[in-house]
Amino acid sequence: MTNTDDDRRPKYQRIADSLREAIQSGEYGPGDRLPGENDLMSEHGVARMTARQALGVLKDEGVAEARKGAGVFVRAFRPLRRRGIQRLAQEQWGSGRSIWSADIENRNLVVDNVTVSEGAAPNHVRAVLDLGDDDSVCARSRRFVLDGKPVLLATSYLPMSVVAGSAITREDTGPGGIYTRLAELGYKPVHFREEIRSRMPSKEEAAQLSISAGTPVILICRTAFADEGRPVEINEMTLDAASYILEYDFDA
C-alpha cells in the first residue's frame, strides 16, 4: 500500500494496522499487553476516542481481548481447526469417540448449558425433517467451551418418533454421542450435508460466546441422513469466527 493510500485511512485504522503488524511480526506475542489508550494518544498525537477505536478494531477482529481493569491483550487462544470431513467419519463416532476428538487434540473441552426438551419443531426444521404438523422433536441445546473459551453454541433437532425413550433424550448421550445412539436405534447416519453462512452475532450470542458485538459468527447447519435419504437430525451451530479455522480435506 502506498503512503497516499495510507493517508486516506482514518487515523484509528492506521493505528490498528500498525498494532496488527507488530503482533504478526512477533513484537507482541500471545498474552502480551498492548499499548493502552494513554500510550496511543501520546505516541500518535490523537484523541482518546481515536485510540479507543483503534483498539476496538483489534478486539472486533478477535486479535485482542480486553481484561477488565488490566488493559487490552493479544489474544492467547489458539484457533480450533475444525476438520469438517474427518470428524464425521463413521470410524470416528462409530468407535465410541466424540466427533470433537478429531479437532481438539489434548485440549480441555467442557460442554455446559445443556438443555433437552420435547416440543413442536420450528417450521424450517419440520420441513427438512419431513415431519407432520403434530410430530414433535427432541431439541438438544449446549455450549462448547475450549480451554476456558466459549467457542460454539449448538442445537440439535431429532424426531421424537425416532429417539423417544433413548439416551438421546437425556443430557448425557453416552460414548460416541448422538450418532452412535442413532445407529443403535437402526438409523445410522450414512450421509451428511453442511451449509455455512456468516453474520454478526445477536446480543445473546455475543454474551454466551464472550465475544464483542463486532466479532462475526459462523453459522453451520448440518443435516444427518440415514438409509434411503431419511433425515434424522438437524444441528444448528453458531461458531465464534475468530476461534475457528474450517478445514476441508478431500481427494480430487
Side-chain angles (χ1 to χ4, degrees), residues 56-70:
V57 168
L58 299 182
K59 288 187 288 184
D60 287 346
E61 291 176 353
V63 174
E65 58 187 357
R67 299 179 190 171
K68 192 170 183 179

Side-chain angles (χ1 to χ4, degrees), residues 110-137:
V110 174
V111 182
D112 67 8
N113 296 351
V114 179
T115 62
V116 184
S117 61
E118 177 183 353
N123 289 338
H124 68 285
V125 170
R126 187 168 66 243
V128 175
L129 293 179
D130 195 23
L131 301 177
D133 291 342
D134 296 328
D135 292 333
S136 61
V137 292

Side-chain angles (χ1 to χ4, degrees), residues 153 199-219 238-239:
L153 310 174
R199 60 166 169 76
M200 304 311 292
S202 67
K203 186 174 181 180
E204 181 181 358
E205 289 167 342
Q208 290 191 70
L209 290 171
S210 298
I211 58 177
S212 67
T215 300
V217 291
I218 299 169
L219 308 178
T238 303
L239 292 67

